[in-house]
Amino acid sequence: MPTALVLGASRGLGLEFTRQYLAEGWTVFATHRSEDDRIRLRDLGANTLRLDVMQVADVAGIAWQLEGERLDVAVMNAGVYGPRTSSPRQPPGDADFDTVMRTNVLAAMRIVPVVAPLLAPARGTLAFVSSRMGSIAEAGAAYGMLYRVSKAAVNMVAKLAHVEHAPLGVRVLSLHPGWVRTDMGGPNADVAVADSIAGLRRVIADTGAFPGGCFYDYRGQSLAW
Ligand SMILES: NC(=O)c1ccc[n+]([C@@H]2O[C@H](COP(=O)([O-])OP(=O)(O)OC[C@H]3O[C@@H](n4cnc5c(N)ncnc54)[C@H](OP(=O)(O)O)[C@@H]3O)[C@@H](O)[C@H]2O)c1
């Protein structure tokens, strides 16, 4: 059976990726920060790894714990939104900037060299859970500026990871899950978690219809960068 690594698996979209891959019999490595989440993920049947993506030592720890594993899919899902109020009229402060950019962008940069070599033998897929809010072409509102900027940067990390690792057989995708009912998306979001992840998993699985180096939503629609 195939193997997936889900980075940021404690709740929301990452937890649902873990549930759905486990339900299909996959081996899943699932990362968490808290002990409660480790136990919950272990009880679901996942192999658990402790990872705070802001901590460089944790990222190094993932590298040695996964040494020798052959991954079919790695999902870089961990992310934060930051201040809802940030906009061109109200720029973020230093602390919010550091948290959002380190969690969403620097972590993505640091994860690529760790997981790409583990994906290459199986010609696997590295999927970044980005957001349509990171599309420069589609930007039509200014709220959530810091989050938008961070996801635009994630898209560039994904594109460059594609440029670097596609020749080694690694497929890199940037994905938009829809506006989903999670802690981040809130109760008024229009997509259920299970539907979002079922859709994203279909995109990840279909290597023919969805080539690497591109940006897709959970329904398989191509998005403009
Ligand atoms: N929900 C939406 O509508 C939506 C739309 C577009 C894109 N997205 C993206 O989808 C991804 C998941 O979102 P979600 O809605 O599931 O959000 P969520 O419910 O807030 O969950 C966020 C996840 O990221 C993890 N995380 C945050 N900071 C971390 C860190 N420093 N180290 C390790 N893990 C960390 C959290 O772990 P803890 O439990 O330990 O905090 C949690 O597992 C994010 O990248 C988000 O930007 C979501």
Side-chain angles (χ1 to χ4, degrees):
M1 268 306 198
T3 300
L5 167 66
V6 182
L7 301 147
S10 59
R11 54 196 166 93
L13 301 176
L15 179 60
E16 186 64 18
F17 265 116
T18 302
R19 280 203 190 102
Q20 292 194 16
Y21 279 128
L22 285 170
E24 293 201 341
W26 287 43
T27 298
V28 179
F29 290 93
T31 81
H32 61 90
R33 288 194 286 184
S34 78
E35 180 60 9
D36 285 353
D37 291 326
R38 184 187 72 77
I39 291 166
R40 184 163 347 108
L41 289 164
R42 181 203 62 190
D43 290 349
L44 284 174
N47 300 302
T48 58
L49 301 169
R50 219 204 81 78
L51 174 70
D52 182 334
V53 297
M54 300 244 282
Q55 303 300 322
V56 70
D58 283 10
V59 176
I62 292 288
W64 70 255
Q65 288 176 83
L66 290 173
E67 200 179 332
E69 293 293 341
R70 180 187 160 105
L71 301 179
D72 296 277
V73 170
V75 182
M76 179 48 188
N77 170 76
V80 290
Y81 193 97
R84 307 256 159 195
T85 51
S86 79
S87 76
R89 292 176 188 275
Q90 201 171 331
D94 290 356
D96 284 329
F97 182 87
D98 286 351
T99 300
V100 174
M101 295 301 278
R102 287 182 61 204
T103 306
N104 294 0
V105 185
L106 182 56
M109 291 176 172
R110 286 178 172 159
I111 290 297
V112 171
V114 170
V115 301
L118 305 175
L119 289 160
R123 302 188 70 78
T125 296
L126 170 55
F128 287 93
V129 184
S130 179
S131 172
R132 187 177 197 146
M133 289 180 74
S135 168
I136 293 174
E138 296 200 18
Y143 65 88
M145 177 173 74
L146 178 55
Y147 181 74
R148 290 176 191 275
V149 168
S150 78
K151 291 299 189 180
V154 166
N155 284 348
M156 181 59 93
V157 174
K159 189 76 183 190
L160 297 182
H162 163 75
V163 168
E164 191 75 10
H165 294 287
L168 306 175
V170 179
R171 171 173 166 250
V172 183
L173 303 175
S174 197
L175 300 174
H176 170 59
W179 180 28
V180 192
R181 291 190 289 279
T182 61
D183 292 342
M184 186 185 291
N188 298 324
D190 46 32
V191 183
V193 172
D195 295 338
S196 169
I197 299 307
L200 291 180
R201 287 177 54 246
R202 271 195 293 277
V203 171
I204 291 170
D206 195 340
T207 53
F210 305 107
C214 298
F215 188 15
Y216 305 106
D217 77 5
Y218 73 107
R219 294 164 302 188
Q221 289 182 349
S222 186
L223 298 177
W225 299 110

